[in-house]
Amino acid sequence: MSDTTSVPRPSSAVSRPVSEALLNEKWDRCLSNMLIKSTLGLGFGVVFSVLLFKRRAWPAFVGVGFGAGRAYEECNWSLKQASRDLKRTPA
Amino acid sequence: MLRSSLRSVRAVGNAPIASAVSRQWQPAITSFVRVAGRRFYADEKRIDDSKLPKSETTTSVASELPSLKTESQVASKDVPLTPPEPEAIASSAATGAKLPTPPPTPVKKKKGFFRRLRNLVLTLMILGTVTFGGGVAYSRISDNFHDFFTEYVPFGEQAVLYFEELDLKKRYPRSLSGSSSRPKDTGAEVKIAPQSGASWRVADSGERTSSAVGKSSSKKETKSKGESKPVSEAPAKPAEKIIESAPTKQTTSVGSYKAPEVDEPSRFPPASPIDPLTVKDAEDPVVQDLVKMLNDIITVVNADNADDRFSSTIGKAKNELNKIGSKIRALKTQAEEEAASQVASRVNEFDSAANELVSRVEKALIAQESAWREEFEAEIKRLHETYNSRIQTEMEREKLVHEQKLTNKLLEQAVQLKRQFQSEIKNSVEAERQGRLGRLDQLSGAIKELEQLTTGWNDVVDMNLKTQQLHVAVEAVRASLEDTEHPRPFVRELVALRSIASDDDVVNAAIASINPTAYQRGISNPSQLIDRFRRVASEVRKASLLPEDAGVASHASSWVLSKVMFKKQGLAAGDDVESILTRTQTYLEEGDLDSAAREMNGLQGWAKTLSKDWLGEVRKVLEVQQALDVSCTLSI
């Protein structure tokens, strides 16, 4: 089953995701985005804390917060855009 | 005032001492001042200004000169001033407006008014005459101006006409006299004209010419008589007087010169014109010339006052002349008589000749007429012959044509008869043949019917075969759809079906309605559909609780809450996502793909988008099934 089904799917997946996987894909992208941005923020925070703030902890937290917030906002925006597109297409 | 004084001072000399000196040397200074005043005359009236020093001078030392000067100046000033006052009063009494007129000007005006008027009139007249003359002269040159001038300027036309006539007279001085003489000539011509002119008659023309000659001669006679009468009659009487009362008159008239002998010469001057006694000889020009000559001689003699010397000779000459005149007259009468006799004989000759001519002409005419008649008859004969010949040829032709037509008709009739005969023979033969071959036809009809029957059976068999083939093809398609575990393209089977039912429109339409992706990729069987539906249903459930404009938080909450939701069973009533899903599942389990698809189509929002692919799949399957059903019903 898995082999047989995997044969036709890659082609379709490459061109256009299957409809039931639309939401999941968005979630995946959001999560990865959040991970990357929060790690970036953390990195910047750590560097700042080491260089400027005598190895205090809060700059790192602040960086993580910035990254996560940015990722959340992007995710939110993408989801809303998708729902707007949905509304537009059926009409 | 100050400036003037300064100037005067300057004129005298720039040194201030001059002023001091001036009082001592009054007359000299005044003279200087006058000079200065004269100098500045052109600039302004400085004489009045220069007076002031004079008045000063009067007060000082020298009284005589300055006082005189002031008086004179005052008088010159006052003289113009005094007259205006009474005049002004008078004028103000009469008309208040004439006050400002200065006194010297009216005097001048009164003097110059008539002169000015005269000048003005003179200039106007001169100008007018000059312009008029110029206009006349220019109108002679240019035609346009001539028209304008004659039309709009009074007396312009007359003037121009007069000048033009003058010009004409200058150019053609004789034209006037010629014009006067011409009308007389024309009148004479008019008189002659009705009697003259060419005519066809011979005898009349002779008469006419003779009459014309006679008339002209008579006219000439009258003319010459008219000319000669005043000359001849006047001298005639004096000539008689010469002989009779010569001595008496000579004594009276030439008594101042010489008493005894001088009578004759004094008589001759009046007698000299008497000479042309040739009243009848005037007809002849030679005699006239002679008379003239004699007259001339007599006048010369008279002028010379040598009358007594030539009187006798002249008298002889006169007698001679008279004789010559009478001789010439006799000669003329003789000649005339001869001429008349000659003319009469000629007339007779001409008459006879004319008669001869007429008779000859008549003869010739008769001869010509006879000749023409003969010719005419011959011509008529010739024409007659030619016509006859032509008519004969025409007749022959007509005959030929007629005969040919007749033969043609005969031939046609023969052909028709032949045809009739042939057709009759055919008919008879046919009748004979049908009588025998009628049975054969019936047999062939029977055979044909049999053939038709067999062909009908063949059709039926073919149809059967076709339907069988179609059925087989449909079955093959269906088998290819159902046998396989996974979707597989069934293009080959469909092509076979199409080739079999190529002439069937319904099958073609059914096949055309199938989505091309369906037979290129194949369609999934119901078990696969159900399997996929399960996956789709779980995803749809996750998004079942999403609001309209969902963000991350709502998505997360709906995912979390979907886990906790209760699940329904069977054909659940309700419009929410969960009940729709459960209904679809039950339909699927029953195998009712159509209603399952309809249920899923009722979803909204995210749920619809998520189940879009599954719905497409189901639709493809349904289309294929429908097409197969249609073709199957056809094949059965």
Side-chain angles (χ1 to χ4, degrees):
Chain A
M1 268 291 272
S2 63
D3 292 334
T4 52
T5 47
S6 65
V7 172
R9 252 176 207 174
S11 63
S12 67
V14 169
S15 63
R16 186 176 58 92
V18 194
S19 69
E20 58 257 34
L22 259 174
L23 215 53
N24 289 346
E25 201 188 357
K26 272 200 201 311
W27 272 115
D28 289 351
R29 207 163 282 170
C30 281
L31 286 177
S32 65
N33 204 10
M34 183 172 279
L35 201 72
I36 288 162
K37 292 215 166 144
S38 51
T39 37
L40 256 173
L42 182 71
F44 271 98
V46 166
V47 167
F48 272 90
S49 72
V50 167
L51 290 178
L52 302 172
F53 300 106
K54 299 179 181 175
R55 298 195 181 182
R56 297 270 169 80
W58 61 268
F61 284 114
V62 166
V64 169
F66 266 98
R70 175 99 187 104
Y72 176 86
E73 198 48 46
E74 275 185 17
C75 189
N76 205 14
W77 183 83
S78 76
L79 280 170
K80 285 194 172 174
Q81 193 66 32
S83 72
R84 233 166 275 153
D85 287 342
L86 287 182
K87 260 189 213 165
R88 217 171 289 160
T89 42
Chain B
M1 294 291 270
L2 246 173
R3 229 194 296 162
S4 63
S5 64
L6 275 171
R7 259 189 201 179
S8 61
V9 164
R10 243 180 252 157
V12 173
N14 282 332
I17 308 154
S19 63
V21 174
S22 66
R23 299 207 171 178
Q24 291 177 354
W25 298 94
Q26 282 298 334
I29 286 159
T30 47
S31 67
F32 269 122
V33 161
R34 228 180 294 155
V35 169
R38 262 174 221 160
R39 268 193 187 179
F40 290 100
Y41 221 50
D43 214 353
E44 271 178 43
K45 290 178 184 173
R46 297 299 165 188
I47 303 164
D48 304 337
D49 301 335
S50 60
K51 283 173 202 166
L52 284 166
K54 287 175 202 168
S55 64
E56 283 172 19
T57 52
T58 50
T59 52
S60 63
V61 189
S63 59
E64 284 187 291
L65 268 169
S67 69
L68 271 168
K69 281 209 167 181
T70 47
E71 275 176 6
S72 68
Q73 276 175 356
V74 165
S76 66
K77 253 197 169 185
D78 287 359
V79 165
L81 276 167
T82 40
E85 286 173 358
E87 273 199 9
I89 292 154
S91 64
S92 65
T95 51
K98 283 182 181 177
L99 267 166
T101 47
T105 45
V107 175
K108 276 184 182 177
K109 263 193 180 178
K110 271 194 174 177
K111 253 193 174 180
F113 179 71
F114 287 108
R115 195 178 287 171
R116 269 191 201 173
L117 200 96
R118 200 184 60 190
N119 284 343
L120 192 120
V121 168
L122 269 173
T123 45
L124 269 177
M125 276 175 70
I126 288 158
L127 266 175
T129 46
V130 165
T131 46
F132 192 80
V136 170
Y138 189 62
S139 66
R140 298 283 301 286
I141 293 161
S142 102
D143 286 345
N144 279 336
F145 188 78
H146 175 270
D147 293 343
F148 171 78
F149 191 75
T150 50
E151 199 167 342
Y152 294 107
V153 178
F155 307 113
E157 196 172 357
Q158 282 93 317
V160 172
L161 269 174
Y162 175 72
F163 275 105
E164 275 179 358
E165 269 180 27
L166 267 185
D167 209 30
L168 257 174
K169 273 179 188 174
K170 266 185 195 172
R171 269 188 211 168
Y172 312 103
R174 285 173 198 171
S175 63
L176 286 166
S177 63
S179 67
S180 65
S181 67
R182 264 176 204 168
K184 282 178 186 173
D185 288 350
T186 50
E189 274 171 12
V190 168
K191 272 179 185 174
I192 295 161
Q195 293 160 343
S196 71
S199 70
W200 49 276
R201 275 190 201 173
V202 184
D204 286 10
S205 69
E207 285 177 11
R208 185 184 62 79
T209 46
S210 64
S211 69
V213 168
K215 276 185 181 179
S216 62
S217 64
S218 67
K219 268 191 179 179
K220 271 180 184 176
E221 280 177 346
T222 52
K223 270 192 180 178
S224 59
K225 277 176 183 174
E227 283 173 3
S228 60
K229 265 180 182 175
V231 187
S232 59
E233 285 178 355
K237 288 166 186 176
E240 290 164 8
K241 283 174 187 174
I242 296 164
I243 308 158
E244 293 174 358
S245 61
T248 57
K249 275 187 183 176
Q250 276 169 357
T251 49
T252 54
S253 62
V254 198
S256 59
Y257 289 103
K258 292 166 187 177
E261 287 178 8
V262 186
D263 300 358
E264 283 178 47
S266 63
R267 285 289 147 152
F268 270 109
S272 58
I274 308 165
D275 281 331
L277 279 166
T278 55
V279 182
K280 291 159 194 173
D281 309 338
E283 294 165 13
D284 206 274
V286 179
V287 177
Q288 275 184 356
D289 287 346
L290 278 173
V291 168
K292 248 183 210 174
M293 268 171 63
L294 229 159
N295 283 344
D296 288 344
I297 289 162
I298 286 161
T299 48
V300 167
V301 167
N302 285 349
D304 275 357
N305 288 333
D307 308 336
D308 48 347
R309 263 184 283 169
F310 297 106
S311 60
S312 58
T313 50
I314 284 163
K316 275 177 191 174
K318 274 186 219 166
N319 288 335
E320 286 297 309
L321 252 175
N322 276 331
K323 274 176 193 172
I324 287 162
S326 58
K327 268 180 193 175
I328 283 167
R329 219 187 310 154
L331 276 172
K332 263 191 179 175
T333 47
Q334 211 176 342
E336 268 178 12
E337 277 170 14
E338 278 176 20
S341 63
Q342 270 184 351
V343 164
S345 63
R346 279 286 162 86
V347 163
N348 285 333
E349 275 174 34
F350 275 126
D351 278 345
S352 60
N355 284 333
E356 272 178 42
L357 244 172
V358 165
S359 59
R360 244 185 270 161
V361 165
E362 275 178 1
K363 273 176 193 172
L365 273 174
I366 289 159
Q368 237 174 358
E369 208 173 305
S370 61
W372 279 343
R373 197 167 283 170
E374 276 171 18
E375 271 181 34
F376 177 71
E377 278 171 8
E379 194 74 10
I380 280 172
K381 263 186 189 173
R382 209 169 50 81
L383 279 172
H384 201 73
E385 279 168 15
T386 50
Y387 269 106
N388 277 341
S389 64
R390 226 176 264 173
I391 283 162
Q392 272 185 350
T393 50
E394 283 287 314
M395 292 273 277
E396 279 170 11
R397 253 179 233 167
E398 280 292 310
K399 266 183 190 171
L400 275 172
V401 168
H402 195 65
E403 278 172 15
Q404 212 122 36
K405 270 183 186 173
L406 281 175
T407 48
N408 278 353
K409 270 186 183 176
L410 271 173
L411 278 170
E412 275 178 19
Q413 270 188 345
V415 167
Q416 265 190 343
L417 281 172
K418 255 186 197 172
R419 268 182 207 158
Q420 263 190 342
F421 185 64
Q422 275 180 353
S423 59
E424 273 174 22
I425 284 170
K426 244 186 198 172
N427 283 339
S428 60
V429 167
E430 287 285 314
E432 195 87 355
R433 209 185 270 170
Q434 273 182 351
R436 283 186 193 173
L437 297 180
R439 283 170 212 167
L440 268 174
D441 282 344
Q442 278 180 356
L443 269 174
S444 65
I447 285 162
K448 266 181 190 170
E449 276 176 26
L450 276 173
E451 271 176 3
Q452 274 178 355
L453 267 175
T454 46
T455 47
W457 270 113
N458 279 343
D459 285 349
V460 169
V461 168
D462 283 349
M463 281 266 282
N464 219 349
L465 256 171
K466 242 184 201 174
T467 47
Q468 254 187 343
Q469 278 171 353
L470 201 68
H471 195 74
V472 166
V474 169
E475 285 304 315
V477 172
R478 204 165 272 178
S480 75
L481 288 180
E482 284 170 3
D483 282 355
T484 48
E485 288 285 316
H486 50 85
R488 194 186 67 180
F490 54 97
V491 181
R492 237 177 288 160
E493 287 86 349
L494 258 182
V495 167
L497 180 63
R498 199 161 194 184
S499 65
I500 287 158
S502 59
D503 53 347
D504 202 335
D505 292 337
V506 181
V507 176
N508 277 336
I511 290 164
S513 73
I514 298 167
N515 200 335
T517 51
Y519 51 76
Q520 275 163 13
R521 285 202 193 129
I523 52 167
S524 42
N525 50 1
S527 60
Q528 278 173 340
L529 279 177
I530 290 163
D531 197 38
R532 202 176 169 186
F533 174 73
R534 272 181 199 140
R535 259 183 285 143
V536 169
S538 66
E539 293 295 328
V540 169
R541 258 188 209 111
K542 273 187 212 168
S544 65
L545 295 170
L546 282 174
E548 193 114 314
D549 204 8
V552 178
S554 48
H555 273 274
S557 59
S558 98
W559 178 63
V560 170
L561 286 172
S562 64
K563 304 274 178 193
V564 198
M565 278 207 303
F566 291 104
K567 288 193 177 172
K568 291 183 179 175
Q569 284 290 322
L571 290 168
D575 261 352
D576 57 322
V577 177
E578 181 59 39
S579 51
I580 285 167
L581 281 175
T582 47
R583 257 181 281 161
T584 316
Q585 199 170 358
T586 46
Y587 281 134
L588 275 175
E589 276 161 7
E590 285 169 11
D592 192 353
L593 277 174
D594 194 16
S595 43
R598 260 175 214 164
E599 286 294 336
M600 282 303 272
N601 208 20
L603 284 174
Q604 291 290 329
W606 271 109
K608 190 175 185 178
T609 7
L610 292 174
S611 64
K612 211 199 285 170
D613 274 14
W614 184 81
L615 252 177
E617 200 91 352
V618 171
R619 265 187 205 137
K620 267 191 240 167
V621 170
L622 282 170
E623 277 169 6
V624 172
Q625 270 186 358
Q626 203 177 8
L628 282 177
D629 284 343
V630 166
S631 41
C632 204
T633 47
L634 265 177
S635 66
I636 290 162

